[in-house]
Amino acid sequence: GSCPFEGRDRPAKGQEPIASYDGITPDYFRVTASRLLDGRTFAGADTAASARVVIISQGMARSLFPNDNPLGHRIARADTDKPEWSEIVGVAGDVLPTGIYQRPSSFQVYQPLAQEPWQFSRFGIRTVPGASAEVLGAVSAAVAAVDLDLPVRNLMTADARVELSSFDLGMLKKMLGAF
């Protein structure tokens, strides 16, 4: 989505910076081994009833705050008539997209999932090194124990996810080569 910044003139419609938005849980950076470069991660206190907070990517911080620390500044999504401001509480390292169909974007905004729940969510689980794919059955059972109506789709190991993306890229190359 696009996002204006508090205290700055709102860019002309269609000229707002575009960022990828992701709702995450407080353990996201630890589980994914992503780097938090400045500020804080989300906490259990970041709920739907608390002040809205976000973490932005390093590329976004460098581009939009070249001479200023972004922490404490507020941003909002531009796709609403009345902005809901969120305070920037952290800066995270830039990450590459996980799918071949995603465009790389250095503008990334992370929100606490508790503050803006999504209809569809992905989750990652960090296991001990060398754990087998059999752990996936335990994950399905744990989700079913919480709520039998919660569907679990595309459950796979990180290695399988990388292999699937590589297969998709290989097929895309073959199709383009055929044309």
Side-chain angles (χ1 to χ4, degrees):
S2 54
C3 50
F5 292 83
E6 187 177 47
R8 297 186 187 179
D9 291 338
R10 188 174 184 141
K13 194 156 183 72
Q15 300 299 312
E16 304 99 334
I18 302 296
S20 175
Y21 276 78
D22 284 307
I24 64 171
T25 60
D27 287 331
Y28 174 83
F29 292 103
R30 182 182 59 80
V31 169
T32 61
S34 298
R35 296 175 303 132
L36 186 72
L37 304 174
D38 197 7
R40 70 171 179 90
T41 61
F42 300 135
D46 295 317
T47 66
S50 66
R52 296 173 67 89
V53 292
V54 293
I55 295 170
I56 64 172
S57 62
Q58 182 179 25
M60 187 172 187
R62 282 182 179 156
S63 177
L64 300 175
F65 301 95
N67 302 312
D68 195 8
N69 187 331
L71 299 183
H73 287 274
R74 298 195 321 157
I75 64 172
R77 292 177 75 126
D79 54 4
T80 58
D81 291 333
K82 185 174 183 229
E84 291 186 57
W85 297 106
S86 298
E87 180 183 350
I88 300 170
V89 297
V91 176
D94 293 333
V95 294
L96 294 172
T98 57
I100 63 169
Y101 306 110
Q102 293 174 278
R103 287 187 317 164
S105 171
S106 61
F107 284 20
Q108 175 72 44
V109 178
Y110 300 96
Q111 309 168 266
L113 192 58
Q115 290 189 343
E116 192 163 330
W118 297 63
Q119 182 179 3
F120 302 102
S121 296
R122 292 182 182 175
F123 64 93
I125 298 170
R126 186 175 210 136
T127 62
V128 294
S132 71
E134 292 174 9
V135 75
L136 299 178
V139 170
S140 291
V143 171
V146 172
D147 186 340
L148 279 172
D149 293 329
L150 284 177
V152 177
R153 297 187 182 102
N154 300 326
L155 194 58
M156 64 184 72
T157 64
D159 288 342
R161 169 63 76 194
V162 169
E163 189 175 316
L164 181 62
S165 289
S166 298
F167 175 78
D168 286 349
L169 186 57
M171 288 301 293
L172 184 60
K173 284 181 181 177
K174 287 178 184 177
M175 289 170 48
L176 290 174
F179 287 115

